[in-house]
Amino acid sequence: MVGSSHEALHRIFQKDPALLTRALQSVLHIPFPEPREFAAMNVDLTEIEPIERRVDTLLRAETDEGAYLLVVESQGKPDERKRGSWPYYLSYLYEKYRCEPVLIVTTQSSVTARWASRPIHLGVRGCPSLTVRPFVLGPDNVPVITDEREAERDVPLAVLSAMTHGKGPQTAPILESLAAALRTIDPDSAAVFVQFVDSCLADPRAQQMWRDMMTAIQYFWRHPLAEQVREEGREEGREEGRAQERAESVLRNLRWRRIDVPDAVRERVLASTDMDELGAWLERSYQVSDAWELLTEGA
């Protein structure tokens, strides 16, 4: 179970290693050769000395040009210690495996992205003995995917988009397009991606919107992440309590999308105790442009 944005931002590449090389090629415009296969590797870089050093994710990519080691580091904020450990990681991996190491940093913060992208120079100022240039995937270069068809063409990239841009005015359309795209892949993979996104949504309103959305299409409930929410539902214990929560979710989604809700619509939604009807309204609340359309079947 993924418990934090730090973990999700590198584990998504364990789930779909090809996403990492696609990001290098299409987002960062790095001429990385097309891999034939990938292999996960041990992330522990500790030597005999009692100093523990671990990378977040380490993948081996086999290409026609030879093997590459893809080192993925998830970074929440600037940390000057990394400017010493990152060169160590690359040197150690090259010495041990004799493969070219590539450092990729993922972050949700533009400030952290700018910090991480600065070259690391070790040695004489102006004439360093060693230079490390991290490749950074962050809010300034990961595409904002709000179109449903675009999300369907590359679901893992749409997941990365939601994880990276999970706050701000474009959150709702990003999550809506991703929710639609998840319907096109197998449910087990979708459930994993749902958890990755949930872990990265720092805005409580966005996270609740995502959970409501996933409840409507029944992906969220396939994963252990939902157990906490299910437990809360059991404590409420009554059908009317669950109906009221779903009705409030419908109205909350409309408010999040800045759609005015007339009193008559609000009263109609809150008065309903039909879970199927409320479920239909919940799903429709991500699509309508007018609150009255919510009550119109086929809107």
Side-chain angles (χ1 to χ4, degrees), residues 143-176:
V144 177
I145 299 178
T146 59
D147 180 77
E148 181 178 324
R149 288 195 178 91
E150 185 179 358
E152 290 176 359
R153 283 195 295 269
D154 194 336
V155 175
L157 184 59
V159 173
L160 182 62
S161 176
M163 293 163 60
T164 306
H165 302 284
K167 54 185 177 182
Q170 299 191 88
T171 300
I174 290 173
L175 296 182
E176 289 164 14

Side-chain angles (χ1 to χ4, degrees), residues 159 221 277:
V159 173
W221 302 102
E277 179 180 58

